[in-house]
Amino acid sequence: MTPPAGFEARRAGSAEWWRRPGDSQWIDTLLQVVAAVPEAEAELLSGGRGGARLTGSGTHRIVIRPYRRGGLPGRIVHDLYFGWQPRPFRELVETEALRARGAPVVEVCGAVVHWAFPVLYRGWLATRYVDGARTLWQLMSAAPAPADRMAACAAAGRAIRRLHDCGGRHPDLNLNNLLVSGTDADWQVHLIDFDRPAVRVGRDDPMVELARLRRSAAKLDPAAQFVTPADLACLEAAYRRGESR
């Protein structure tokens, strides 16, 4: 694989990483350190399967997300993946392609792969920190005021519509992949976790994703205590209107 425009590839020993040349040198150092973390210490960085850690300071804060397997494979191989096209690099390519089209996705700073064997690797993705951001589920489960919850849901609906209008799809749209920041007067929503192909060509039905979002809400909140049918209706209404704000 080759990095997209605006990124460069580097390799040192078993570590391989892509990064933006304009970023500070500390990003290179950080990615090298992460790549060198032995298996026994990897969990210290992850905070659990799919966990992410914030590092850096000031305007140079980034979020590092390790790749972790779930289900039965996760019990056996935990964080090892097989293949010549590593998932961190694929996600970087997908996210950058969407960002170039104007989709509301987080900015990727880099991706790193640590080759354990020729076709086995561990991986991490580094993204720019969104100040004060919470997932939509975290926000809704905190029981915000009715006006805040409706404004946040409407902003999420507009963000999903923008993604679709840019030719993108989300491979796993759920309440934890919608990152909300700001206030009720200026909610901003970014979509995260494009670990599978996200740029679509054709006429596949985007409403399938909204149905998936409803299922994720039902799974997280079976009693609809925090995410009500009215909340989801507000999100879908904003999506259908296609408002920019």
Side-chain angles (χ1 to χ4, degrees), residues 39-223:
E39 183 177 8
E41 298 177 9
E43 201 62 29
L44 296 177
L45 288 172
S46 74
R49 186 207 165 210
R53 290 292 179 93
L54 176 65
T55 188
S57 61
T59 59
H60 298 294
R61 288 181 292 178
I62 66 172
V63 175
I64 300 177
R65 174 168 59 84
Y67 285 76
R68 295 288 184 268
R69 290 185 176 277
L72 181 59
R75 298 179 183 179
I76 300 173
V77 295
H78 186 51
D79 59 352
L80 278 175
Y81 291 84
F82 174 88
W84 290 108
Q85 296 187 335
R87 293 172 67 165
F89 294 159
R90 295 203 310 266
E91 182 168 352
L92 185 152
V93 169
E94 293 285 345
T95 306
E96 276 301 294
L98 290 170
R99 187 167 176 266
R101 296 182 179 200
V105 299
V106 292
E107 178 186 357
V108 178
C109 302
V112 61
V113 168
H114 184 206
W115 294 99
F117 296 100
V119 292
L120 289 176
Y121 65 90
R122 298 181 177 90
W124 294 262
L125 188 78
T127 57
R128 196 78 64 192
Y129 174 64
V130 179
D131 191 32
R134 291 177 287 175
T135 68
L136 184 57
W137 169 241
Q138 288 173 331
L139 175 66
M140 300 300 282
S141 60
D148 290 348
R149 67 189 306 117
M150 299 298 278
C153 287
R158 293 192 295 268
I160 297 168
R161 176 60 180 267
R162 180 61 180 162
L163 172 72
H164 291 169
D165 287 348
C166 289
R169 297 291 183 268
H170 199 291
D172 184 25
L173 187 62
N174 63 67
L175 297 176
N176 282 314
N177 286 334
L178 291 160
L179 207 58
V180 184
S181 61
T183 65
D184 60 337
D186 186 26
W187 287 113
Q188 301 293 321
V189 175
H190 293 81
L191 289 98
I192 60 174
D193 195 6
F194 291 93
D195 189 21
R196 284 171 280 169
V199 179
R200 294 284 193 262
V201 178
R203 297 183 178 180
D204 52 320
D205 185 2
M207 300 306 292
V208 171
E209 294 186 25
L210 294 183
R212 183 184 300 122
L213 183 64
R214 278 187 172 273
R215 291 195 298 272
S216 84
K219 183 176 181 180
L220 288 168
D221 187 18

